[in-house]
């Protein structure tokens, strides 16, 4: 049995891959592969509408929000967000854009946004990391929010650092959340946010599709030089068909949404995700060999980075894991160590297999770590 712990592109439900394989050459008797269909034809329109409705159901997206299927990934949204929202707050020129920095992906968002407005880093986790040697989200009471901010941007789950919000921030400005690596993993109240965006390739489907959920009153404020294909209002008015959408990625995402519904929806998945994360953190915390460097109340349920206290064992850990069918556990190159990404499609059995292996490896090697 193979278990794939990649951070993204990541494991997809086997059922979905099998269904896609069986429909590859001839979708529902149409005589065409989904890849060969006109995006405006009735077959693909039915796939797209169903996918959109299923996502709306799964996240209980209120009627005053648009769901957009875009391209460019979350990194493009780092520019698309200020391009669409910096015009919101007319009083300040250039617009003030509030960002909370909780790790590597926040840093990228901030750098990009600085091209389009005056970025105020309202809080930065780097200070806590330096003093406590633990990553953590700064307490909201310490955040220095701007009174005239066009929006407040957060990264809901830092895929590299393994830091996840377990609360919804409060702000007068609309909250924009990068949920690339935790969308659909937990129940959220969409109305708490002005905009939610996510690249699909972690918890949804193949790379190439970006989901944007945007409140209607936030459409129509784009800066004049915002590219037309990136103007949310344009995309919304054209039902995500202003340009050709990533049709096959939308089709697979749609199959994943139906799979999620069959599992009992987001609340059912959240329960399993809590159990999976608890199992792995417990293994790390009670071991002699491993450590996680994130404060308990900010630990991610989706991406769990850990280090071997004796780093000289890294290579043998990875090769022994591979022999047991446990793949893609190497940590991100910027932080080193290991990382297990355990998205919705990772079954509990996969985490049990990983924990079983880690305990065995701990028993064999812990002596040399002391
Ligand atoms: C939280 C987060 N934001 C942004 C990105 C960048 O997304 P993309 O490569 O799809 O542009 C990623 C991962 O790749 C991510 O995990």
């Amino acid at each position: 049995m193979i278990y794939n712990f990649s951070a993204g592109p990541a494991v997809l439900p086997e059922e979905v891959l099998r269904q896609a394989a069986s429909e590859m050459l001839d979708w529902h008797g149409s005589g065409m592969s989904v890849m060969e269909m006109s995006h405006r034809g009735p077959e693909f329109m039915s796939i797209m509408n169903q996918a959109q409705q299923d996502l709306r159901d799964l996240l209980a997206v209120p009627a005053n929000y648009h769901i957009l299927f875009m391209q460019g990934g979350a990194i493009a949204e780092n520019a698309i967000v200020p391009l669409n929202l910096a015009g919101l707050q007319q009083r300040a020129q250039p617009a003030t854009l509030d960002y909370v920095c909780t790790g590597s992906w926040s840093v990228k968002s901030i750098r990009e946004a600085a091209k389009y407005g005056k970025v105020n880093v309202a809080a930065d986790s780097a200070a806590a990391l330096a003093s406590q040697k633990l990553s953590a989200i700064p307490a909201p009471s310490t955040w220095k929010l701007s009174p005239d901010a066009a929006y407040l941007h957060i990264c809901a789950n830092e895929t590299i650092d393994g830091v996840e919000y377990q609360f919804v921030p409060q702000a007068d400005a609309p909250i924009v959340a990068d949920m690339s690596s935790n969308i659909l993993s937990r129940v959220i109240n969409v109305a708490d946010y002005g905009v939610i965006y996510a690249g699909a390739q972690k918890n949804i489907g193949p790379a190439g599709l970006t989901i944007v959920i945007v409140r209607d009153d936030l459409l129509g404020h784009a800066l004049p030089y915002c590219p037309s294909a990136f103007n949310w209002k344009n995309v919304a008015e054209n039902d995500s068909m202003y340009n050709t959408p990533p049709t096959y990625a939308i089709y697979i995402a749609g199959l994943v949404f139906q799979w999620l519904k069959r599992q009992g929806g987001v609340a059912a998945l959240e329960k399993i995700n809590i159990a999976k994360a608890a199992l792995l953190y417990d293994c790390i915390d009670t071991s002699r060999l491993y450590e996680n460097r994130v404060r308990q109340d900010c630990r991610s349920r989706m991406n769990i980075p850990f280090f071997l206290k004796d780093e000289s064992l890294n290579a043998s850990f990875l090769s022994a894991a591979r022999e047991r069918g446990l793949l893609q556990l190497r940590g991100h190159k910027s932080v080193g160590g290991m990382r297990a990404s355990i998205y919705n499609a990772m079954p509990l059995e996969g985490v049990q297999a990983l924990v079983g292996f880690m305990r065995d490896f701990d028993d064999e090697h812990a002596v040399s770590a002391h």
Side-chain angles (χ1 to χ4, degrees):
M1 193 69 198
I2 297 290
Y3 293 110
N4 173 3
F5 295 91
S6 171
V11 63
L12 287 169
E14 194 173 317
E15 254 175 78
V16 165
L17 294 177
R18 288 192 187 285
Q19 186 178 344
S22 75
E23 295 176 348
M24 169 66 84
L25 298 182
D26 179 7
W27 182 82
H28 294 199
S30 66
M32 295 179 279
S33 172
V34 174
M35 275 180 267
E36 303 170 311
M37 291 172 182
S38 162
H39 59 296
R40 298 190 194 281
E43 296 89 353
F44 184 73
M45 291 290 279
S46 74
I47 292 172
M48 174 119 155
N49 292 338
Q50 188 66 49
Q52 206 183 102
Q53 187 57 50
D54 285 339
L55 180 57
R56 194 171 279 280
D57 296 345
L58 284 163
L59 286 175
V61 178
N64 62 327
Y65 283 72
H66 270 83
I67 295 176
L68 311 180
F69 292 147
M70 297 182 69
Q71 300 183 64
I75 291 202
E77 291 300 324
N78 283 343
I80 294 170
V81 165
L83 280 165
N84 277 274
L85 296 183
L88 248 185
Q89 182 46 274
Q90 300 290 350
R91 273 182 293 151
Q93 285 302 334
T96 308
L97 314 174
D98 278 354
Y99 278 72
V100 174
C101 184
T102 48
S104 315
W105 289 112
S106 303
V107 168
K108 284 210 166 167
S109 300
I110 288 165
R111 282 200 193 128
E112 190 70 13
K115 295 181 187 171
Y116 305 102
K118 187 160 69 62
V119 170
N120 166 46
V121 179
D124 192 339
S125 62
L129 183 60
S131 64
Q132 299 165 22
K133 303 275 174 274
L134 282 180
S135 298
I137 298 168
S141 59
T142 65
W143 296 7
K144 304 261 185 303
L145 298 176
S146 319
D148 57 353
Y151 60 85
L152 165 65
H153 180 281
I154 63 163
C155 178
N157 182 60
E158 289 280 359
T159 320
I160 294 174
D161 308 82
V163 170
E164 182 174 16
Y165 280 79
Q166 307 297 340
F167 63 93
V168 181
Q170 301 292 316
D172 293 335
I175 296 174
V176 178
D178 176 357
M179 292 197 187
S180 291
S181 47
N182 70 350
I183 192 166
L184 291 165
S185 70
R186 59 194 302 149
V187 175
I188 56 164
N189 178 18
V190 171
D192 289 336
Y193 303 89
V195 181
I196 292 167
Y197 65 89
Q201 70 272 19
K202 295 159 196 301
N203 220 9
I204 294 181
L209 167 65
T210 317
I211 305 283
V212 178
I213 303 173
V214 53
R215 208 173 61 213
D216 292 347
D217 62 294
L218 301 178
L219 300 172
H221 304 279
L223 297 174
Y225 48 85
C226 175
S228 309
F230 288 166
N231 183 327
W232 290 332
K233 184 163 188 273
N234 249 350
V235 181
E237 283 176 352
N238 288 280
D239 296 324
S240 298
M241 298 244 185
Y242 179 76
N243 55 343
T244 310
T247 53
Y248 199 75
I250 291 171
Y251 158 68
I252 299 284
L255 296 185
V256 171
F257 298 151
Q258 283 169 18
W259 175 82
L260 282 169
K261 283 186 153 180
R262 289 197 297 277
Q263 307 306 302
V266 176
L269 261 302
E270 180 173 17
K271 275 202 190 115
I272 303 171
N273 289 331
I274 290 171
K276 289 185 314 195
L279 190 62
L280 186 46
Y281 282 117
D282 180 64
C283 166
I284 294 167
D285 291 343
T286 57
S287 75
R288 289 151 293 187
L289 200 56
Y290 314 112
E291 64 177 346
N292 168 270
R293 299 176 187 159
V294 181
R295 207 177 65 200
Q296 298 245 356
D297 61 336
C298 311
R299 284 174 160 184
S300 170
R301 292 179 189 161
M302 293 286 102
N303 310 96
I304 303 186
F306 58 94
F307 297 86
L308 274 64
K309 289 176 190 162
D310 177 356
E311 299 228 312
S312 70
L313 292 171
N314 282 356
S316 49
F317 178 89
L318 286 168
S319 69
R322 212 173 303 118
E323 273 168 33
R324 298 257 292 246
L326 307 167
L327 306 184
Q328 308 209 62
L329 284 163
R330 189 191 300 278
H332 191 269
K333 59 182 186 308
S334 63
V335 290
M338 307 296 153
R339 173 175 52 171
S341 295
I342 51 174
Y343 300 118
N344 283 343
M346 172 60 64
L348 180 62
E349 295 75 33
V351 180
Q352 286 166 337
L354 174 61
V355 164
F357 161 71
M358 286 172 65
R359 293 223 162 98
D360 291 348
F361 193 85
D362 190 34
D363 287 343
E364 278 168 46
H365 296 276
V367 180
S368 64
H370 286 271

